[in-house]
Amino acid sequence: MQFPLKITETKISTVIAGSSVWDSLDGLVAELIQKDGKVFILSDDNTARLCLPLLLDKVKGLQRSVMLNISPGESGKNPENAISLWNALASGEASRNSLLINLGGGVVSDLGGFVASTYKRGIPFINIPTTLMAMADAAIGGKTAINLQSVKNIVGSFSLPEATFLCPEFLSTLNKSHLLSGLSEIFKISLVADKSFWEYLSSLDTGQLFSKQLNLPLWEELIARSAMMKCKIVEADFFEKDSRAVLNFGHTIGHAIESLSFRDKQMPLTHGEAIAIGILCESYLSMHQCGLEEKEFRRITQLFISTFGDYGITDKDIPVILGFLNQDKKIRDGIQYFTLISSPGKAMIKQPCDRDQIIRSLEFYRNLTSKH
Ligand code: GLY
């Protein structure tokens, strides 16, 4: 398969992948540097060690940049880090034409994008995602945010990067659990928007994806298809007034499972692993609520269990998950609103489900993994 150099270039998203990704980045950086000369690169401890050397080697013009660094992990998306980055930009005399490059996963692109979009009312930034999750989802679509008072993404903006560059080489720095985390978003996008991509993914031998030597052309293909689809969805509804909510499939129950795993379990799940469970439960709801055929539901179940394994939830976890769901903003008069699918590739937003239906979907997953 030949990849377009530019997956998409519209007012909304410029996402660049393919073999000439470094040349394109080099060209864009040179163009932006001409306006001001100052470039700031935000990384975390991991990406500074594992990814920055490759970036500086490939794009020599970046070697004189000011390096900014945060500790890795979701806790980095805090107001204190935002303030210290604003201070670093001010001390480095960043002007409105200075450039911030976000080199990292979703935490780096969310925080860096937020800081860039607010400093001097907005300076240009570029996202270079280094995790599969960020390549497939977080770094595309212009959502930026920090967390406040333990609430995720409560302060943020819709702000577009100059471009997002997808460089599959960085995938070699990830362990299997991080690859799985991003893979669930790729599966999700196919299920809500692209039937033929879903058919393709479900025919893949997933062992191939996780071979010791990563099959980068195959990963590149998955990333490019998924990014292209995400761009289309975002372009149709940038501010998430309506149809962009298809991207929430699996996320309502998934977020509650993620919170459970952080609070009560010895092994916290990655975001994507929790979303994979959410997708299974919400596929169950889709079968009962939106006419998803049983044979399609079984295919989804089979692929997700064989890819992600099972994560035992017990009888006593179910009320805890319901408690987390109650905090969700999509609940009204005891009815929770979900994005569901009527068939692979076709999503339906704002689907009401009551507490009993939700409990049945959780019991389905509990029985499936039969560790109760
Ligand atoms: N991560 C979902 C979205 O970008 O809308």
Side-chain angles (χ1 to χ4, degrees):
M1 185 169 185
Q2 282 293 315
F3 296 104
L5 173 63
K6 284 194 177 140
I7 293 177
T8 173
E9 182 173 23
T10 68
K11 282 203 185 74
I12 297 293
S13 330
T14 302
V15 176
I16 299 168
S19 48
S20 341
V21 69
W22 297 116
D23 290 342
S24 305
L25 178 59
D26 199 28
L28 180 61
V29 164
E31 196 184 305
L32 293 168
I33 283 182
Q34 260 191 357
K35 294 191 185 148
D36 169 282
K38 290 202 187 77
V39 182
F40 297 77
I41 301 179
L42 175 63
S43 55
D44 66 25
D45 296 344
N46 295 330
T47 59
R49 187 165 50 87
L50 298 170
C51 306
L52 188 58
L54 179 64
L55 175 66
L56 298 182
D57 182 51
K58 295 284 187 184
V59 186
K60 304 257 188 290
L62 291 176
Q63 288 176 355
R64 290 184 309 276
S65 309
V66 179
M67 304 301 168
L68 308 173
N69 190 257
I70 55 166
S71 302
E74 180 69 25
S75 60
K77 274 169 62 173
N78 62 51
E80 293 74 27
N81 271 350
I83 293 171
S84 57
L85 293 174
W86 285 320
N87 275 321
L89 291 174
S91 312
E93 297 180 353
S95 79
R96 253 202 196 155
N97 288 321
S98 299
L99 172 67
L100 178 64
I101 296 182
N102 298 318
L103 178 72
V107 169
V108 167
S109 55
D110 277 8
L111 170 70
F114 175 66
V115 165
S117 73
T118 44
Y119 179 79
K120 295 203 171 182
R121 299 197 180 88
I123 64 170
F125 65 100
I126 286 175
N127 285 339
I128 308 180
T130 56
T131 62
L132 183 61
M133 171 61 75
M135 291 182 199
D137 187 47
I140 298 175
K143 281 189 179 174
T144 80
I146 56 171
N147 306 330
L148 190 68
Q149 297 179 0
S150 319
V151 186
K152 261 183 93 142
N153 301 334
I154 191 169
V155 179
S157 63
F158 284 97
S159 292
L160 287 167
E162 296 300 305
T164 296
F165 288 86
L166 304 179
C167 314
E169 281 108 314
F170 291 134
L171 295 179
S172 315
T173 65
L174 304 175
N175 62 27
K176 184 172 176 188
S177 147
H178 282 100
L179 288 172
L180 281 172
S181 184
L183 189 60
S184 71
E185 292 289 352
I186 294 178
F187 282 176
K188 176 205 75 182
I189 208 131
S190 74
L191 282 169
V192 299
D194 189 343
K195 184 172 168 36
S196 71
F197 189 28
W198 165 249
E199 297 294 338
Y200 175 63
L201 288 169
S202 48
S203 71
L204 277 180
D205 162 13
T206 40
Q208 244 185 304
L209 287 171
F210 300 108
S211 54
K212 227 175 179 179
Q213 184 79 32
L214 280 189
N215 182 341
L216 289 184
L218 177 57
W219 279 106
E220 180 165 341
E221 179 180 357
L222 303 192
I223 294 162
R225 283 185 77 164
S226 150
M228 193 154 47
M229 200 40 71
K230 172 141 189 196
C231 289
K232 261 196 189 164
I233 293 168
V234 170
E235 280 157 17
D237 177 25
F238 181 54
F239 291 107
E240 200 174 1
K241 301 272 185 231
D242 195 46
S243 57
R244 183 170 176 164
V246 301
L247 294 169
N248 294 337
F249 181 53
H251 282 60
T252 305
I253 293 180
H255 280 151
I257 304 260
E258 190 178 11
S259 304
L260 168 87
S261 90
F262 273 97
R263 211 194 71 174
D264 290 358
K265 302 277 176 176
Q266 310 245 304
M267 281 266 292
L269 290 166
T270 61
H271 173 69
E273 287 165 333
I275 296 310
I277 300 173
I279 291 175
L280 278 181
C281 296
E282 294 180 20
S283 295
Y284 179 92
L285 292 173
S286 299
M287 180 169 67
H288 290 281
Q289 177 87 3
C290 296
L292 175 68
E293 278 183 33
E294 190 174 345
K295 79 169 183 339
E296 296 294 358
F297 169 69
R298 286 193 191 289
R299 252 173 96 195
I300 296 170
T301 307
Q302 205 174 20
L303 182 66
F304 273 70
I305 291 293
S306 66
T307 308
F308 297 96
D310 55 33
Y311 184 73
I313 64 167
T314 62
D315 282 337
K316 76 174 178 20
D317 291 330
I318 292 182
V320 183
I321 296 169
L322 291 172
F324 283 119
L325 281 171
N326 272 335
Q327 296 165 8
D328 195 289
K329 54 188 182 299
K330 294 183 287 307
I331 194 158
R332 277 194 296 278
D333 302 328
I335 299 289
Q336 190 108 27
Y337 289 83
F338 286 87
T339 292
L340 300 177
I341 56 171
S342 56
S343 61
K346 198 161 182 337
M348 298 172 78
I349 62 173
K350 298 183 189 149
Q351 294 301 304
C353 295
D354 64 25
R355 189 183 151 89
D356 288 346
Q357 288 172 298
I358 298 170
I359 291 175
R360 281 198 290 279
S361 77
L362 295 170
E363 286 172 348
F364 145 76
Y365 183 74
R366 181 207 56 189
N367 293 342
L368 192 68
T369 57
S370 66
K371 282 188 186 159
H372 53 286

